[in-house]
Amino acid sequence: MLPPNMNGTTTAQHSGFIYQKNPIATSSMTTKDDTKQCISAALVLFGVPKAFQYIHNAYIQQIVKRNPHVCFKAHMHMYNDLHQKPFINIRNEEKNGKIESPESIQAILDAEGGIPAQLSTSSQSTFDEANLSWMHENITQNFPTKNKLNLQTMMNVFRQGNSMKEAFISASFAFELQKQQEQQRHGYDMYVFARSDTLLITPIDIPRSGIGDRDLHIPGWHRWGGGNDRFALAGPIAANIWVSAKGNVFREMILDPGETLRSMEKKGRTGWNGTLGNPEKMLRLWLDANDSLNVTRGGKDWAHVIRVRMGGVLQRKDTDAFKIKQKNARDVK
């Protein structure tokens, strides 16, 4: 089942050029059902890539190579118009940065030692015009001033959510094509959601039995009173719910927080106190309202990811929290 508004076909937002390494739609794939040995997993990469050479290598080392019983394929989405002009993010103190082009990202994905990968692109400006015209400064009034959530920050939440959704569509659509061609039931057993601007510094071990269809594993650190969205392992059903949060539900929360959150509170254990708080809290409200999910928050040492800024600079708050001395992604081994 695809998430809301995902019908298995490419859309205007998903009409960017698509690179493929070992085209997934026509390649054979060994699944857990076929051999009882291989768990099929989609590595879903999304967001704005920064120092991607080091980030991609970390995912390969910390996830792929540590789990030889899992058959990975990568599905990545990025915006194809960000590299055409200087990149600015005031909150992160990033000014006049340069985003890597889709061609350079594809070269990294295709490098020896990687995994089969599909890269899809779309225009951020087109997405903004079609989907974010409702956003204005007044929407931030539902968030406490101390969180410093300005309009750009909130827009970036939705841009990132759309990028995740587009990468997930790519994974789902690829398997639909393969199923039609081979007349067999194929599908990923699990999904690994990882940002293209975070550096994973701790290993991820996946059980040989895999995870359940409704299982969702997220970090337990940096929750800010809610749920950490920087990394996730999800079964097929849980993946659909996870993807829909920023793509659909957050908009409803912001536009009509009272009605939306009261409705969620009736279904789950939200403990809503009348304010949205921050995106992490919004995520927790959504997860708590979905009783069909089996949510596991990892321990303090699970899935440490460090946010990477322009030039490979590591976010100071993250390095301090994880006691990392290095200041740049290239120096982390």
Side-chain angles (χ1 to χ4, degrees):
M1 181 181 73
L2 294 174
N5 301 323
M6 299 182 187
N7 56 14
T9 61
T10 54
T11 65
Q13 295 180 46
H14 199 258
S15 59
F17 48 88
I18 295 180
Y19 296 99
Q20 292 190 50
K21 174 186 178 184
N22 300 335
I24 295 174
T26 58
S27 65
S28 61
M29 179 168 187
T30 305
T31 67
K32 183 170 62 174
D33 291 337
D34 295 331
T35 67
K36 303 301 183 183
Q37 297 177 348
C38 182
I39 300 169
S40 62
L43 176 59
V44 181
L45 301 168
F46 58 93
V48 179
K50 299 172 186 175
F52 187 66
Q53 172 186 351
Y54 307 109
I55 287 171
H56 178 258
N57 181 65
Y59 288 139
I60 295 298
Q61 299 299 325
Q62 303 283 27
I63 304 177
V64 176
K65 291 190 175 182
R66 283 190 64 89
N67 297 279
H69 55 290
V70 181
C71 298
F72 285 97
K73 291 190 177 181
H75 296 269
M76 179 173 177
H77 173 270
M78 66 178 293
Y79 291 109
N80 58 20
D81 52 352
L82 296 184
H83 71 288
Q84 300 171 357
K85 56 185 178 181
F87 181 81
I88 299 175
N89 187 315
I90 297 175
R91 189 181 188 208
N92 296 336
E93 300 182 350
E94 296 173 296
K95 300 179 180 179
N96 298 320
K98 184 173 179 57
I99 298 297
E100 297 165 272
S101 69
E103 291 83 359
S104 63
I105 295 298
Q106 184 60 45
I108 294 171
L109 292 171
D110 287 345
E112 184 177 354
I115 57 177
Q118 183 180 53
L119 173 65
S120 61
T121 72
S122 63
S123 166
Q124 178 175 288
S125 60
T126 299
F127 170 75
D128 288 355
E129 292 174 6
N131 298 277
L132 299 184
S133 60
W134 59 274
M135 299 196 76
H136 47 78
E137 289 291 347
N138 290 340
I139 70 167
T140 62
Q141 66 186 0
N142 289 319
F143 301 91
T145 304
K146 64 180 181 180
N147 289 325
K148 300 180 181 179
L149 295 177
N150 57 33
L151 183 61
Q152 185 191 43
T153 298
M154 290 309 303
M155 293 179 73
N156 286 340
V157 168
F158 285 91
R159 290 162 176 163
Q160 185 185 96
N162 177 66
S163 183
M164 180 197 298
K165 183 174 70 174
E166 290 291 309
F168 185 63
I169 288 175
S170 171
S172 303
F173 186 53
F175 261 117
E176 286 297 314
L177 288 178
Q178 181 171 332
K179 183 170 65 176
Q180 293 173 13
Q181 291 180 5
E182 299 182 1
Q183 297 299 309
Q184 297 181 25
R185 182 185 181 277
H186 284 278
Y188 285 118
D189 296 315
M190 63 175 295
Y191 294 80
V192 180
F193 292 95
R195 285 168 47 170
S196 57
D197 67 342
T198 56
L199 186 73
L200 179 63
I201 62 172
T202 55
I204 301 296
D205 294 318
I206 298 172
R208 291 190 172 275
S209 58
I211 64 176
D213 289 352
R214 301 178 183 275
D215 289 350
L216 177 67
H217 297 258
I218 58 177
W221 45 266
H222 282 196
R223 293 164 59 178
W224 306 113
N228 188 315
D229 65 349
R230 297 184 197 172
F231 186 85
L233 304 182
I237 295 176
N240 279 274
I241 297 173
W242 180 251
V243 168
S244 66
K246 292 181 181 179
N248 303 87
V249 180
F250 277 18
R251 181 178 185 273
E252 298 173 7
M253 285 185 179
I254 293 173
L255 290 179
D256 190 2
E259 180 60 32
T260 303
L261 298 178
R262 276 192 293 270
S263 176
M264 287 185 178
E265 192 166 40
K266 293 177 182 178
K267 298 178 181 178
R269 303 165 298 282
T270 65
W272 177 55
N273 63 1
T275 63
L276 295 176
N278 51 44
E280 289 81 7
K281 183 177 179 181
M282 292 166 66
L283 180 62
R284 180 181 66 82
L285 296 177
W286 172 235
L287 296 179
D288 285 352
N290 282 274
D291 289 334
S292 61
L293 284 179
N294 300 317
V295 180
T296 299
R297 291 175 171 83
K300 63 179 182 179
D301 295 326
W302 188 76
H304 285 182
V305 290
I306 299 176
R307 290 167 292 180
V308 179
R309 306 310 184 192
M310 298 304 306
V313 176
L314 302 178
Q315 175 67 38
R316 176 79 178 269
K317 291 181 180 179
D318 298 344
T319 56
D320 287 349
F322 300 139
K323 296 179 172 55
I324 299 297
K325 296 181 179 180
Q326 293 88 341
K327 297 182 179 180
N328 196 287
R330 66 173 176 268
D331 301 320
V332 180
K333 307 300 181 182

